[in-house]
Amino acid sequence: MNFVEAIARKRDGLELTSAEVQAFVRGASHGQIGDEQLAAMLMAICIRGASERETQDLVEAMRDSGASWKLGEAVPDAVDKHSTGGVGDSVSLVFAPLVAACGVPVVMMAGAGLGHTQGTLDKLAAIPGFRTVLGGSEALDRLARCGVSIAAQSEDIAPADRKLYLLRDVTATVPSLPLIVASIMSKKLAVGAHRLVLDVKCGSGAFCKTPEVARRLADALMGVGQRAGVTLRTLITDMSQPLGDRLGCANEVRAAIEVLSGAGDRRLRELTVELAVEGLVLAGRTAESARAELERRLADGSALARWAEVVRAHGGDPDESRLARPSRTVLVPARHGGFVAAIDGEGLGWIAVALGAGRRRQGDRVDLSAGLRVHARVGDRIEPGQPLATLEVGDRSVEIDALVSRAAAAFRIEGDPPPKTPLILARLGGAA
Ligand code: URA
């Protein structure tokens, strides 16, 4: 097949055949198609979209691009959790040890940063020694040792997603519903948990900016899961501002440890508990007993103790003092007073990337110490000059004055308080 013709057909809005989709995925995983052609196809899909049949073909071809671990057969109770991506979203780091501390095993195939969002794998890389490139038997070993396995896409498992993910990250081709569905569901199905909790993000810091688009994404993800026999619970959640108050790799590990210690950012804690409730409900608990047990595990130190076990079982050092620290911090003052009416989450995410917390080109090294802290949340009353955020600068050379101005502009301050937005916009349950 001449792959240029397939790119041209998608460019012109035509449907790809199953053979063309398979050739695209095979070419990505085995290196037979170069990055320029893969990127052109990704952009064509991003602009033209894909039909349900093309999306299902993509999911299946990407799922089958590597091994199939079938962990749900070995550990039928295991639950997986995935977010569609947002800023300040360190839920996975809390969810895994917290749910495991309640006796429900957690298997996760996580991703690195994508576009303006920071990914779980990059955050885990901030923990000295933490290893996420695992084989299937190592994943089972981690589950037996600590009740949690967190793995990365690799040459062994989901290699097509590994390749396309890295390309999407640096070619502005992330916010495409079919590509998001294929990326998430292919790796979930390759790992093979029978139960899945999805967090579909909606708002300025997410890839879906409106509830309608988020609902379409949720329905598409759930449709693929249900066709594969997976039982899913999905929350559509607010990302109209960063979820937690920290962005960046080491920063978000610290945010997770704070929540696991029974304190931490209120919104991050609340959403994590709600997603964990869904995970325990999938394991047969009632929502009420699940919520009570989760709160108990956060309060009595067992969630934090499980975190240390999870880190050790993955080869890491749980000593928080070994996390990277920024070389300097710069405050972002409010230009005038009023109420914070809106926060441009994507804008703040790109500032974190500019500081080094994400990649601008393939192969960029992520600065684990870089990021930012958010001091003002939507609805807060602000005095002129009050700090809205702190930029945390690592070793990348940056134009700090420009970043400070961009960060200040990401906070829209008005005379009246905005209406309150709930953290959870919808709860969708689906049985296989
Ligand atoms: N998470 C993924 O794994 N892939 C996406 O495309 C978005 C979020």
Side-chain angles (χ1 to χ4, degrees):
M1 172 190 306
N2 178 357
F3 194 64
V4 180
E5 288 177 38
I7 299 170
R9 280 163 50 71
K10 185 40 81 183
R11 179 201 63 203
D12 296 341
L14 299 175
E15 212 180 10
L16 297 173
T17 64
S18 298
E20 284 169 330
V21 171
Q22 283 153 11
F24 170 49
V25 171
R26 230 182 5 258
S29 1
H30 298 298
Q32 294 137 342
I33 299 179
D35 287 0
E36 67 291 345
Q37 290 193 325
L38 295 174
M41 181 59 96
L42 288 170
M43 187 56 89
I45 295 174
C46 198
I47 292 170
R48 289 298 193 167
S51 67
E52 194 175 323
R53 199 266 309 147
E54 286 172 297
T55 307
Q56 184 71 31
D57 282 349
L58 254 183
V59 172
E60 289 174 13
M62 289 170 67
R63 174 198 65 195
D64 297 342
S65 65
S68 166
W69 284 353
K70 297 188 172 61
L71 289 187
E73 286 176 19
V75 190
D77 290 349
V79 64
D80 194 347
K81 177 261 161 198
H82 207 87
S83 153
T84 58
V87 288
D89 176 7
S90 29
V91 167
S92 291
L93 302 184
V94 184
F95 179 101
L98 176 58
V99 169
C102 298
V104 175
V106 178
V107 297
M108 271 185 198
M109 165 129 315
L114 209 45
H116 65 276
T117 69
Q118 283 77 51
T120 300
L121 295 180
D122 292 329
K123 296 168 202 173
L124 291 172
I127 301 171
F130 202 109
R131 206 164 69 76
T132 48
V133 178
L134 306 178
S137 55
E138 287 174 302
L140 281 171
D141 166 74
R142 306 296 182 269
L143 276 170
R145 284 166 59 194
C146 66
V148 172
S149 154
I150 306 178
Q153 317 99 312
S154 66
E155 309 244 306
D156 173 46
I157 184 125
D161 184 51
R162 176 167 171 260
K163 176 70 193 176
L164 295 176
Y165 199 98
L166 293 173
L167 277 178
R168 287 169 63 218
D169 182 31
V170 293
T171 54
T173 51
V174 178
S176 148
L177 264 46
L179 294 178
I180 295 174
V181 171
S183 166
I184 292 178
M185 293 312 294
S186 62
K187 51 187 177 276
K188 303 286 120 183
L189 299 182
V191 167
H194 295 159
R195 297 165 180 173
L196 174 59
V197 177
L198 289 173
D199 180 7
V200 176
K201 301 286 191 198
C202 171
S204 69
F207 300 119
C208 298
K209 305 292 186 203
T210 65
E212 296 71 34
V213 178
R215 179 61 200 245
R216 272 188 11 237
L217 177 58
D219 287 344
L221 289 162
M222 292 177 74
V224 171
Q226 284 161 359
R227 283 193 286 281
V230 177
T231 309
L232 303 100
R233 312 270 308 177
T234 300
L235 301 188
I236 299 180
T237 67
D238 178 48
M239 188 30 81
S240 65
Q241 57 179 319
L243 176 62
D245 60 355
R246 296 175 196 205
L247 278 67
C249 298
N251 245 350
E252 293 194 43
V253 174
R254 284 194 194 94
I257 293 172
E258 281 177 11
V259 173
L260 286 162
S261 309
D265 182 83
R266 186 186 55 78
R267 283 164 46 89
L268 174 60
R269 178 192 165 105
E270 184 185 334
L271 182 58
T272 308
V273 168
E274 289 308 313
L275 289 161
V277 165
E278 300 297 335
L280 297 191
V281 165
L282 284 175
R285 317 273 172 92
T286 64
E288 224 166 75
S289 72
R291 200 167 282 115
E293 180 166 9
L294 291 160
E295 291 294 349
R296 208 165 49 244
R297 301 286 172 205
L298 288 172
D300 71 8
S302 46
L304 183 64
R306 184 60 70 106
W307 161 259
E309 285 171 39
V310 171
V311 171
R312 280 196 204 96
H314 288 75
D317 181 348
D319 179 356
E320 197 184 334
S321 70
R322 292 197 60 203
L323 293 171
R325 292 193 177 278
S327 52
R328 67 185 169 120
T329 57
V330 182
L331 286 177
V332 177
R335 292 166 179 162
H336 56 91
F339 291 92
V340 179
I343 302 178
D344 175 4
E346 178 166 349
L348 290 182
W350 284 122
I351 291 167
V353 171
L355 288 165
R359 300 171 184 80
R360 294 173 299 184
R361 283 172 221 96
Q362 270 200 94
D364 261 2
R365 186 182 60 81
V366 172
D367 183 338
L368 303 170
S369 71
L372 57 92
R373 289 190 75 148
V374 178
H375 305 305
R377 314 307 291 261
V378 171
D380 285 357
R381 195 191 166 83
I382 296 294
E383 300 300 327
Q386 187 176 326
L388 298 171
T390 301
L391 305 188
E392 302 190 316
V393 188
D395 55 17
R396 190 179 277 182
S397 105
V398 291
E399 288 182 25
I400 197 68
D401 291 344
L403 290 181
V404 168
S405 299
R406 274 172 65 188
F411 292 79
R412 204 174 78 226
I413 297 177
E414 292 181 352
D416 296 316
K420 281 200 170 30
T421 307
L423 189 51
I424 296 172
L425 307 176
R427 267 178 213 267
L428 314 169

